[in-house]
Amino acid sequence: YELVTGVDNTSQEYENAVEELEYEAQSDLEHCSFNAEVDGDGEHTYINFSGGMSVTFNEGERKKDADGDVVDMPQQDWDRDSDYMTLMRGLDQALNDLHLYPEDVDMRDMNDSLNISILISDQDGSYSADPDGANDFLQWVKEWDGKYDEIRAAFQDVLLDAGLLKAAPA
């Protein structure tokens, strides 16, 4: 194709592969997201990919204070010994205990719900930037998706210990 048209077909092949992977992700992922895009400078074509997960604890699960208001999460403070950083280390450790290693974990208080966002990326470059690597990365994101209940339970334990959630009736 390249000899006849003078155009490198790699870019189109990668675009087709990304389209198939995104369709597979939309069909198979329940709790995670998967993103992929083809990039390059004309000479070199590659695929950028990432994934993510969001775990939410709604207002009904939150611990209330004496006035009936939800207990606020610790103020974002980047000091190593702050309550916020201790909580974030606890969330990271909960994932590490499940043998999951995210790039970033972030927690926000949104309308009295706690939302924990997890960024899943290829931190160590173990997935090639081609269709095979993107497919392997998607399979890894599917593993995260399959562990959603375990992740949520582990986060719940951390948030219970931090006094942000109320204990379940059981």
Side-chain angles (χ1 to χ4, degrees):
Y1 181 83
E2 186 175 347
L3 291 173
V4 173
T5 65
V7 176
D8 182 8
N9 198 28
T10 304
S11 181
Q12 187 59 48
E13 289 174 20
Y14 281 28
E15 288 287 348
N16 292 343
V18 164
E19 190 174 307
E20 289 176 22
L21 290 171
E22 287 179 336
Y23 177 78
E24 180 180 341
Q26 288 175 351
S27 299
D28 295 350
L29 296 176
E30 185 176 348
H31 305 285
C32 288
S33 63
F34 170 80
N35 303 302
E37 66 179 36
V38 177
D39 204 354
D41 58 9
E43 268 185 58
H44 304 290
T45 303
Y46 55 92
I47 300 174
N48 289 318
F49 41 82
S50 64
M53 175 186 280
S54 182
V55 179
T56 300
F57 296 91
N58 63 41
E59 181 181 359
E61 298 172 281
R62 299 282 305 270
K63 189 172 185 176
K64 308 273 196 249
D65 62 17
D67 296 328
D69 297 324
V70 297
V71 173
D72 291 330
M73 67 177 255
Q75 185 71 25
Q76 284 188 347
D77 180 355
W78 305 114
D79 181 40
R80 178 163 173 63
D81 296 326
S82 72
D83 290 341
Y84 178 77
M85 289 304 292
T86 301
L87 178 60
M88 297 311 291
R89 280 194 304 277
L91 295 173
D92 280 336
Q93 186 59 49
L95 290 172
N96 292 344
D97 291 347
L98 294 170
H99 305 287
L100 299 171
Y101 308 98
E103 175 156 330
D104 188 36
V105 177
D106 186 40
M107 185 170 69
R108 301 216 183 276
D109 194 342
M110 299 171 28
N111 299 325
D112 291 335
S113 293
L114 285 177
N115 180 276
I116 302 169
S117 300
I118 304 165
L119 176 61
I120 306 167
S121 70
D122 183 19
Q123 296 173 339
D124 58 4
S126 58
Y127 299 100
S128 58
D130 60 21
D132 290 336
N135 180 56
D136 292 343
F137 181 78
L138 174 58
Q139 301 317 306
W140 186 51
V141 172
K142 285 182 181 182
E143 286 182 38
W144 280 76
D145 197 70
K147 292 183 176 184
Y148 175 81
D149 291 336
E150 293 174 69
I151 292 168
R152 192 175 199 291
F155 283 175
Q156 187 174 23
D157 289 345
V158 171
L159 297 173
L160 278 166
D161 289 346
L164 297 174
L165 297 182
K166 61 183 176 184

